[in-house]
Amino acid sequence: MLDIRWIRDNPDALDAALEKRGAAPESAALIALDEERRALVARVQDAQARRNAASKEIGAAMASGETEKAEALKAEVADLKQFLSTAEETERDLDARLRDALARVPNVPLDDVPVGADEDANVEVRRSGEKRTFDFEPKEHFELGEALGQMDFEVAAKMSGARFTLLNGGLARLERALGQFMLDVHTIEHGYTEVNPPLLVRDDALFGTAQLPKFAEDQFLTTTDHWLIPTAEVPLTNIVRETIIDHDYLPRRYTALTPCFRSEAGSAGRDTRGYLRQHQFYKVELVSITDAETSIEEHERMTRCAETILERLGLHFRTMVLSTGDMGFAARKTYDLEVWLPGQGAYREISSCSVCGDFQARRMNARYRPEGEKGTRFVHTLNGSGVAMGRALIAVMETYQQADGSIAVPEALRPYMGGIDVIGAGG
């Protein structure tokens, strides 16, 4: 959420930022609503002051025998009370309308983010690793998985419908190994604290990370009014909601391996085959909480942490900075890691690392107390995939496939596989 005071002082800057995102200008409507609210607040304050003064004057008038004046003052106080009763309700309504309007405005991109309408304007930053060459025609992951009898879409569909998958045997173990490997690297080497968070959260948690109200249709809501988390970003970031953190305790870095649940409401007809786009999937999430001065540096660090996972797995990938029209609602800048899938012959996003500034912190009222200062500031938040396990499984399957349809286990994962180094032919 943006600061309405900043919007009042920088209306042209907001509208220019929204134009970069391909969105309509909002400053005039937001400022008009804020001015209406502020004008009413001023009238309420004046009425309260007059009511208090008139109440005192009533006592003085009655003491001096000025009955007619006292009655007039009583009538004035009654009118003021009636006005205040109505005005305070109107003020609450205006507060809610302004908050809702601000909650639907996306974050302002950093100056170095490429301007463009969509993914075609994304800019490649670097590449890592080499594409594997094959002496046979590489298959897609779902062809490999079904042939092994370890990736079953039909059985999952009977239980749950489309966009669910049942893994078994070696592939189920391989996905588990990926998660354990990622957690070990991020906790032991990268200094993240492992968290086992709730998978069900309330409205305020999703509002805090900006999934609500704008993206409600992308979420799953239970009959108890809890939401299934779309990513562990939600509970990990909300760890600091409604708190004031001492500067010495920053940065805070959290990681979690959790199931994630997404309705995929806007993806009808996309990636309908295979394991790429699911309603339920596993992901290792990274979240950092920093001060204002170090968030940009932390963004680069987080991205390198995610890149390390792909490098250790021996996967070819490229790092992209997303354009203004392609990055997420809460982000100021985003790096996507796109892994090469030999079976598809295409790069696909496997991790997205974003710096959000104080956008989420304002929604959560998460603050820190800078050293030597009396006041507080909003923290800066960052989140990234470290990485998506289902997509990592796909990349490993397609990259390490062999001519007979078996899948070699990457060296980094072998300590987690109980001696299995090839999946297939009994693996």
Side-chain angles (χ1 to χ4, degrees):
M1 181 180 292
L2 300 175
D3 185 354
I4 186 60
R5 292 172 296 181
W6 179 85
I7 294 172
R8 286 200 305 264
D9 293 340
N10 303 276
D12 293 340
L14 173 63
D15 290 342
L18 293 176
E19 183 179 9
K20 289 179 181 179
R21 280 182 169 269
E26 296 278 2
S27 65
L30 291 169
I31 291 171
L33 184 57
D34 181 51
E35 287 178 347
E36 182 181 357
R37 181 188 64 86
R38 294 171 71 197
L40 180 63
V41 168
R43 289 176 62 199
V44 166
Q45 291 173 342
D46 289 345
Q48 288 171 336
R50 178 55 193 154
R51 178 197 58 190
N52 295 338
S55 297
K56 293 179 181 179
E57 291 173 14
I58 290 171
M62 293 182 67
S64 61
E66 299 176 271
T67 305
E68 186 175 339
K69 181 179 179 181
E71 292 302 318
L73 288 168
K74 288 179 181 179
E76 182 184 3
V77 168
D79 289 343
L80 288 168
K81 286 182 177 179
Q82 179 62 39
F83 165 75
L84 287 171
S85 176
T86 303
E88 287 168 0
E89 183 177 344
T90 303
E91 183 182 344
R92 286 191 294 271
D93 177 65
L94 287 171
D95 283 339
R97 286 170 55 196
L98 180 60
R99 182 175 175 80
D100 183 68
L102 288 169
R104 296 175 186 276
V105 177
N107 207 347
V108 174
L110 292 176
D111 291 340
D112 63 345
V113 173
V115 177
D118 52 34
E119 62 186 15
D120 291 336
N122 296 347
V123 175
E124 183 175 324
V125 177
R126 53 187 169 267
R127 294 192 180 198
S128 179
E130 300 294 330
K131 293 180 182 177
R132 181 187 165 189
T133 58
F134 296 83
D135 56 9
F136 60 91
E137 185 69 25
K139 296 179 180 179
E140 294 198 50
H141 69 282
F142 52 83
E143 298 173 296
L144 294 163
E146 288 181 318
L148 289 170
Q150 297 180 17
M151 182 174 276
D152 199 317
F153 304 101
E154 291 185 6
V155 169
K158 289 178 183 178
M159 291 186 281
S160 305
R163 297 194 189 275
F164 291 92
T165 305
L166 186 147
L167 299 180
N168 63 77
L171 290 185
R173 181 157 194 166
L174 183 62
E175 187 174 54
R176 175 159 57 93
L178 281 163
Q180 298 306 311
F181 161 68
M182 294 176 200
L183 281 180
D184 281 353
V185 172
H186 291 317
T187 56
I188 297 170
E189 298 183 32
H190 296 156
Y192 287 83
T193 298
E194 183 176 353
V195 177
N196 187 356
L199 305 181
L200 294 167
V201 296
R202 297 185 295 192
D203 291 6
D204 286 349
L206 278 175
F207 179 85
T209 47
Q211 280 82 11
L212 291 181
K214 191 174 178 63
F215 304 104
E217 68 172 8
D218 296 328
Q219 320 303 326
F220 284 111
L221 178 63
T222 72
T223 55
T224 61
D225 290 331
H226 287 86
W227 302 84
L228 292 169
I229 62 168
T231 164
E233 171 201 346
V234 176
L236 293 183
T237 309
N238 274 275
I239 288 173
V240 297
R241 73 173 295 111
E242 297 173 0
T243 60
I244 298 175
I245 305 167
D246 285 341
H247 201 181
D248 290 344
Y249 288 93
L250 297 176
R252 292 189 178 186
R253 301 182 177 111
Y254 302 115
T255 185
L257 188 168
T258 68
C260 304
F261 306 91
R262 297 184 186 174
S263 71
E264 296 293 346
S267 64
R270 295 176 58 194
D271 302 316
T272 55
R273 293 201 67 185
Y275 200 46
L276 193 67
R277 193 177 297 276
Q278 301 278 285
H279 288 311
Q280 172 188 313
F281 58 94
Y282 285 89
K283 181 156 68 81
V284 172
E285 184 74 7
L286 305 175
V287 162
S288 295
I289 312 297
T290 75
D291 59 20
E293 290 72 28
T294 60
S295 60
I296 302 301
E297 178 184 349
E298 183 72 13
H299 188 211
E300 300 296 327
R301 181 189 189 277
M302 176 181 284
T303 304
R304 279 297 303 142
C305 290
E307 289 175 333
T308 299
I309 296 297
L310 302 183
E311 291 170 353
R312 299 277 180 87
L313 292 173
L315 300 173
H316 171 65
F317 67 94
R318 64 185 185 183
T319 302
M320 311 288 289
V321 58
L322 299 192
S323 72
T324 53
D326 195 36
M327 68 181 186
F329 179 84
R332 298 205 70 190
K333 183 178 181 179
T334 298
Y335 290 117
D336 267 10
L337 308 187
E338 298 182 347
V339 70
W340 176 252
L341 301 183
Q344 285 194 16
Y347 290 99
R348 300 303 296 260
E349 182 250 319
I350 194 171
S351 173
S352 188
C353 298
S354 298
V355 57
C356 301
D358 62 8
F359 188 83
Q360 293 176 322
R362 289 182 181 279
R363 303 166 80 101
M364 298 186 300
N365 194 23
R367 299 170 180 264
Y368 70 100
R369 195 182 307 281
E371 295 178 11
E373 295 185 18
K374 293 182 179 180
T376 61
R377 301 184 195 176
F378 289 105
V379 299
H380 281 206
T381 62
L382 303 94
N383 63 81
S385 308
V387 298
M389 288 166 52
R391 296 191 174 201
L393 178 68
I394 292 170
V396 167
M397 290 174 66
E398 295 194 10
T399 300
Y400 287 89
Q401 63 180 291
Q402 302 184 108
D404 64 357
S406 62
I407 299 163
V409 175
E411 186 175 345
L413 299 181
R414 291 178 186 176
Y416 302 89
M417 290 294 290
I420 298 173
D421 56 12
V422 177
I423 296 172

